[in-house]
Amino acid sequence: EGVATQLGETRRCAPGWRGVDSFDKLATQRQWNAYMAQDKAVANAIYCQATAAVKAWMAAHGGAQAVVALLDGMVAGETFDAMLQPKKAGPVMRATASAPAQ
């Protein structure tokens, strides 16, 4: 959801908005739906929090190219969670490899 919100730039978010203390509580679609149905303000805060998390991840992994590599990996059969692992060798890590030697 954070990727979609980041790319669509559809939310107005105050810095530091948080709707949940851990995204682990929203690991399944059922958990996400139940949590989001609680309150519109909480739901907006969660989207804002997810957007901030995606922005931070993009900054640390090469920006938009890292998102493309993430999606390419998923098309190739990788899971979203596996692609996000920092020590995982895969398209995301290759896309953000250090610059070639000069």
Side-chain angles (χ1 to χ4, degrees):
E1 295 298 332
V3 173
T5 305
Q6 166 64 23
L7 295 176
E9 297 181 357
T10 58
R11 303 269 171 187
R12 292 182 184 210
C13 302
W17 271 15
R18 295 183 57 84
V20 65
D21 58 351
S22 172
F23 284 120
D24 290 337
K25 292 181 177 179
L26 310 176
T28 68
Q29 189 66 50
R30 175 181 254 170
Q31 290 169 323
W32 177 269
N33 291 342
Y35 208 88
M36 297 301 276
Q38 293 180 59
D39 179 280
K40 287 185 180 186
V42 169
N44 190 60
I46 290 171
Y47 275 108
C48 289
Q49 183 179 347
T51 300
V54 169
K55 283 182 181 180
W57 182 87
M58 288 174 66
H61 291 89
Q65 290 179 335
V67 175
V68 171
L70 175 78
L71 297 173
D72 285 345
M74 292 176 66
V75 167
E78 293 284 341
T79 66
F80 186 78
D81 289 338
M83 294 295 295
L84 293 180
Q85 296 303 312
K87 295 180 183 175
K88 170 80 173 128
V92 171
M93 300 310 285
R94 282 196 299 273
T96 60
S98 59
Q102 296 186 13

